[in-house]
Amino acid sequence: LTEITINKAMASTSIASYQSDLKQYLIYIDELGIERVEEITKEHIYTFIMDQLQKKSKSSVGRMISSIRAFHSTINIHDNKIKDPTVNIHTIQKTRYLPKYFNKRDLDLLFDSFSDSTIDLFHHTIFELLYACGLRVSELCSLSINQYNRSNGFIKIIGKGNKERIVPIAKYSARLLDQYIDEVRIYYNKKGLSNLFVNRLGNRLTRQYVGVMLKSKEKELGINLELSPHSFRHTFASDLLANNADLRIVQELLGHSDISTTQIYTHVNKDQLHKAYDKFHPGNRRSNKK
């Protein structure tokens, strides 16, 4: 945990996941009566993985395998006499799902529903920034006021692994953010925090608050989107690509280290192409009439 916190500078959420995974793994090892790490074999790990697959999703177990591999690898680095039993254990190929995103009607309905009240301006700005800049919710919650360059219209984002990226903000979104800073944050920030977003009690914004806020809005509007705050980020990416943005630019704006992660949004566009084809192609329309 020290290794991934200090040397690898992993995000706090990732560290918490690793800690939870390893706690479960070590409980299992303890139940087997194993007291020395040298006694752990590949077969022990396989048995643990198979047991976890009965209870958890492939993606969760895949992450557990990564945690276990990192654990044994770190031990081996510090003492190469202790063999790493995970050397030939590969992570599970998780099922890749198309990201869920807002359609234009629902997005317009959501953004048009906000009034000029203080609390609505606070909530509106949060959703606007998630969509306008394609932020992860954790990135939004950890934003500090000095990461926003008001004069140039840019936001400096600290992403996963402390990677920095610069994202421009649209003029309308910037005006809304400026209004929030001048008319809401100045009164909400009773504790003098450096966070850009603080709630009415003067505390920093949390991911849980944003999730509850979106569910509350769905209920208010009488719609069931089955979407999460992360869907704003998906919508940001798919909208850019739908309007012919370069894939590499979208990768940079999202802060993806691997372009294959960004490419999943091209599948969304292919889905849109199929829908357009089915709707407008003469041959398909004739077969529908038949």
Side-chain angles (χ1 to χ4, degrees), residues 29-261:
I29 292 299
D30 189 53
E31 287 172 348
L32 293 177
I34 295 173
E35 296 180 356
R36 295 170 58 82
V37 73
E38 295 95 326
E39 298 171 22
I40 300 173
T41 66
K42 188 185 299 180
E43 286 68 32
H44 291 139
I45 298 170
Y46 273 132
T47 304
F48 175 73
I49 292 167
M50 294 307 295
D51 180 58
Q52 292 300 309
L53 279 169
Q54 304 301 314
K55 311 169 189 173
K56 298 183 173 73
S57 67
K58 280 186 177 181
S59 58
S60 295
V61 177
R63 192 199 63 221
M64 291 187 95
I65 295 170
S66 297
S67 302
I68 294 166
R69 287 171 63 189
F71 172 71
H72 284 287
S73 173
T74 303
I75 291 172
N76 178 253
I77 289 167
H78 288 282
D79 185 349
N80 58 20
K81 291 178 183 177
I82 300 175
K83 291 183 180 179
D84 181 357
T86 67
V87 169
N88 294 315
I89 293 178
H90 303 289
T91 192
I92 293 171
Q93 198 70 21
K94 62 182 180 182
T95 306
R96 299 197 75 179
Y97 298 99
L98 289 180
K100 292 183 178 180
Y101 59 99
F102 292 91
N103 61 44
K104 188 179 184 304
R105 185 188 67 84
D106 289 333
L107 201 63
D108 288 345
L109 182 66
L110 177 67
F111 283 126
D112 289 344
S113 69
F114 291 103
S115 68
D116 294 328
S117 69
T118 301
I119 191 68
D120 264 20
L121 180 56
F122 175 51
H123 291 168
H124 189 179
T125 308
I126 289 169
F127 287 153
E128 183 68 35
L129 215 61
L130 285 172
Y131 172 62
C133 299
L135 304 182
R136 299 178 179 94
V137 183
S138 57
E139 292 171 345
L140 179 91
C141 294
S142 63
L143 272 179
S144 66
I145 188 76
N146 60 12
Q147 285 175 246
Y148 172 43
N149 189 322
R150 196 164 180 169
S151 57
N152 293 331
F154 282 91
I155 297 179
K156 182 172 75 173
I157 311 299
I158 311 297
K160 290 184 176 180
N162 282 337
K163 280 180 59 182
E164 289 188 9
R165 68 184 190 277
I166 304 295
V167 178
I169 179 170
K171 287 181 181 178
Y172 169 78
S173 307
R175 284 198 299 270
L176 191 67
L177 180 57
D178 292 343
Q179 188 181 354
Y180 155 75
I181 291 170
D182 296 338
E183 299 177 16
V184 179
R185 185 181 181 276
I186 193 170
Y187 298 109
Y188 277 11
N189 195 20
K190 305 176 182 75
K191 300 178 182 178
L193 300 180
S194 61
N195 295 80
L196 180 59
F197 287 101
V198 290
N199 62 25
R200 284 180 289 185
L201 300 175
N203 300 320
R204 70 186 292 266
L205 185 69
T206 65
R207 292 182 300 157
Q208 292 80 1
Y209 183 96
V210 180
V212 170
M213 191 171 68
L214 181 58
K215 289 298 175 189
S216 176
K217 261 295 173 186
E218 286 184 21
K219 189 175 180 181
E220 176 193 319
L221 298 172
I223 54 178
N224 184 18
L225 301 176
E226 294 185 355
L227 299 174
S228 71
H230 201 69
S231 300
F232 286 105
R233 178 171 161 90
H234 295 323
T235 310
F236 166 83
S238 57
D239 281 359
L240 284 174
L241 289 169
N243 286 285
N244 301 316
D246 183 86
L247 189 65
R248 291 282 180 187
I249 298 295
V250 177
Q251 178 192 4
E252 182 69 24
L253 291 172
L254 291 172
H256 288 160
S257 54
D258 190 341
I259 199 165
S260 64
T261 311

Side-chain angles (χ1 to χ4, degrees), residues 1 4 11-21:
L1 292 171
I4 63 177
S12 57
T13 49
S14 299
I15 294 166
S17 296
Y18 269 60
Q19 189 166 17
S20 173
D21 293 341

